[in-house]
Amino acid sequence: SIIDPLLRTGYHFQPRKNWINDPNAPLYYKGWYHLFYQYNPKGAVWGNIVWAHSVSRDLINWMALKPAIEPSIASDKYGCWSGSATMLPDGTPTIMYTGVNRPDVNYQVQNVAYPRNKSDPLLREWDKPSHNPIIVPKAGINATQFRDPTTAWRAGGHWRLLIGSVTGPAHGVAYVYRSRDFKRWTRVERPLHSAATGMWECPDFYPVEAAGRREGLDTSVSGRRARKYVLKNSLDLRRYDYYTVGTYDRRAERYVPDDPAGDERHLRYDYGNFYASKTFYDPAKRRRILWGWANESDTSADDVAKGWAGIQAIPRTVWLDPSGKQLLQWPIEEVEALRGKSVTVKHRVIKPGQHVEVTGLQTAQADVEVTFEVSSLAGAESLDPELAGDAQRLCGARGAAVEGGVGPFGLWVLASADRQERTAVFFRVFRPARGGDKPVVLMCTDPTKSSLNPNLYQPTFAGFVDTDISDGKISLRSLIDRSVVESFGAGGKTCILSRVYPSLATGKNARLYVFNGGKADVKVSRLTAWEMKKPLMNGA
Ligand code: DQQ
């Protein structure tokens, strides 16, 4: 069987056992970070959903508490689904979440919960007031597709929050609800936004500072500092999180993406396995942090056998790219405290068809940062116009093993000594598309050779990188963690998380290589790889 204990992740968030999905209500309170998440206390498949609860001082070392919210009232008897936290002006954290209140159909309502003891920094007990549910689906709303309340924001004496839903056959929609007292909520007739994408799960909506500024903003900040807004939705049909950047008209309660085609272009937080994500504002370090769930891609029989399924991605700081057109994402700085022994390679030219092993450390659990420099862009491939808009198909057609002009070049991670097993994380550069003047950069994770085990879902993931590579330079960072490869291209412009299950390249047998499958020389200007230590992880 593939159930090798060496595939269990070392520094990605997970409980000791069982199924997990969406991160819920991340918040910071009295010196502690809190993470709640969808959890099945009874097994490694989805079901019996409660809110598990963990706390941390640094977002890296975690301590598990008992579940914070479990079915206990009529309006959550059949499930406590996803939701968010809001800080009230007096400093009280509140939780809003979706309750399922009928056994036969997933009829959804929204509930609120308050901490029993505000002087407990660990917020161990949560009370559900008797006025629950506080929001129910009324006429015209699809009661079985009505869930995942956002963090509320306040302006002009009113709270507002969003609830994800679908209207008509396939319009994703974010409904706005308003309240003066956080108890009585009324729906604003027009939704904040909608698009023909299918159901919107787990919406998220927040202001960002001016382009290029890393500082985050509290969700209620408005006015000059809230230069732009980001609306994220999780696409139930396609299982990925996409976002647009735009403006928010508070009077009209409308959000308008800057790029009129933004909803069709589907800019994604992550082009891999990353779903139902949620951000929160961290007042301790004045940043906005993104949490996202990564599912397994082995079989559920394997999940049952190994006794666990699902991890959370490494928390990422998010801010607006200098172009103003997209976000940048970078692993929170705290993760660097786990770095141990390191190896650095400098000014190493990789010839066409060559690969070079990075030796002298264990790399099953590692952090790798590398900057590449390509000698010339002259030999770049031309871009098939049919695939020019579809990174995933493009990479499917030209995977890591297909020789190119400039690239494929990048890393083979979790590779066996004979390289029969290897997961490729790489770039490929194309000549400017028709009408364009910039070379097109594609970033891919190709797991098709990641394991000798045949019973795995091994999709190739890819996204375009909106970067100027005319000077030949591009960077890559990969967080490798036994069965996870989480990669950040060009300083966090394009991110790809992939789950892989090597059968040979586990533990001490996992190796790391730099490869060049193109026709142009590629120089590793600098590569540093660190072994990563194991933090305290929920008592596991
Ligand atoms: N997961 C939750 C829902 C949410 C979905 C249920 C997204 O609230 O819409 O576990 O993964």
Side-chain angles (χ1 to χ4, degrees), residues 86-108:
T86 301
M87 289 294 176
L88 298 184
D90 72 353
T92 308
T94 65
I95 282 175
M96 292 274 245
Y97 68 99
T98 297
V100 178
N101 68 356
R102 280 173 56 167
D104 47 340
V105 288
N106 285 327
Y107 191 86
Q108 293 148 24

Side-chain angles (χ1 to χ4, degrees), residues 21-22 38 46 49 81-82 147-148 201-202 239 275-276 293:
N21 56 295
D22 319 355
Q38 298 278 285
W46 186 89
I49 293 294
W81 288 10
S82 286
R147 57 183 177 268
D148 309 335
E201 296 189 311
C202 301
R239 308 306 284 180
Y275 193 66
W293 162 53

Side-chain angles (χ1 to χ4, degrees), residues 106-110 136-147 163-171 173 175 177 187 199:
N106 285 327
Y107 191 86
Q108 293 148 24
V109 299
Q110 319 309 324
V136 298
K138 295 221 175 105
I141 291 183
N142 182 340
T144 63
Q145 306 280 6
F146 179 65
R147 57 183 177 268
I163 296 175
S165 190
V166 63
T167 60
H171 264 76
V173 61
Y175 291 123
Y177 283 77
R187 182 160 80 83
M199 169 71 184

